[in-house]
Amino acid sequence: MIGVAAWAFQTAQPPPAAIEEQSHFSQAMGATRTYRVMLPAAYATSKSRYPVIYWFHGYEQSSAQRDGELASYIATHDAILVDVGPVETSGQFPLYFPELADRIDKTLRTIPDRDHRAVTGFAMGGFMAYWTAGKYPDLVASASSFMGFTEASVGPRDLEVDYNLDEMFGNFEAVRTRLVTGTRDFLRFY
């Protein structure tokens, strides 16, 4: 009887997200770019289209930790997650997002419009998520920053400009934004 009672209270684990490493030649970057795609378990058996979340990461988070957390999220949500990085604010990376979004929309079953596209990230990735949403508000409907930097140098190498996210305030008017800080986060005063 105890075995039956224990079985009755167990919760079923969601099927795992499928993780694929993909790459393409980027015109903006002038090189082959690799990114990881996390697909919900139903992706393989359904014909559904899915919203896309772009996760920008820097160098601060190990890929094993990041993959585990992100895959757990996608396992319980009907969305595609594209893990991009490490992000760089200088060079051509800031110009890469429209090309990547187009590539993802052409190769995966996405809902290919701005209302079903979000960007997010941690630390420098959080900065880049907000910067991308401000630069391309026609491509992004939602931006989240987890302990993201609020300023960085952005632009082509040797021509970078110090940039503060406050400077794009007007561009965020039609973008849902979320800023997450922690009590030990040195940026919390922003």
Side-chain angles (χ1 to χ4, degrees), residues 110-165:
T110 67
I111 303 172
D113 63 36
R114 84 173 283 280
D115 289 334
H116 294 91
R117 196 176 292 126
V119 290
T120 187
F122 176 77
M124 186 55 73
F127 171 86
M128 188 53 70
Y130 265 32
W131 189 90
T132 299
K135 175 76 174 166
Y136 306 110
D138 57 320
L139 296 178
V140 176
S142 176
S144 298
S145 175
F146 293 88
M147 293 182 253
F149 301 165
T150 57
E151 55 189 63
S153 295
V154 178
R157 295 204 193 292
D158 301 323
L159 295 172
E160 298 98 340
V161 174
D162 288 337
Y163 184 83
N164 188 314
L165 289 174

Side-chain angles (χ1 to χ4, degrees), residues 75-132:
T76 59
H77 293 82
D78 286 333
I80 294 171
L81 189 133
V82 180
D83 184 0
V84 186
V87 299
E88 297 176 3
T89 60
S90 62
Q92 296 305 102
F93 189 88
L95 304 176
Y96 175 54
F97 183 74
E99 179 183 16
L100 177 63
D102 185 57
R103 164 90 179 164
I104 296 301
D105 288 343
K106 286 180 177 174
T107 59
L108 297 172
R109 286 193 324 272
T110 67
I111 303 172
D113 63 36
R114 84 173 283 280
D115 289 334
H116 294 91
R117 196 176 292 126
V119 290
T120 187
F122 176 77
M124 186 55 73
F127 171 86
M128 188 53 70
Y130 265 32
W131 189 90
T132 299

Side-chain angles (χ1 to χ4, degrees), residues 159-179:
L159 295 172
E160 298 98 340
V161 174
D162 288 337
Y163 184 83
N164 188 314
L165 289 174
D166 290 346
E167 295 168 7
M168 278 193 181
F169 180 75
N171 291 17
F172 294 115
E173 190 171 303
V175 177
R176 292 179 302 274
T177 58
R178 179 177 177 214
L179 176 63

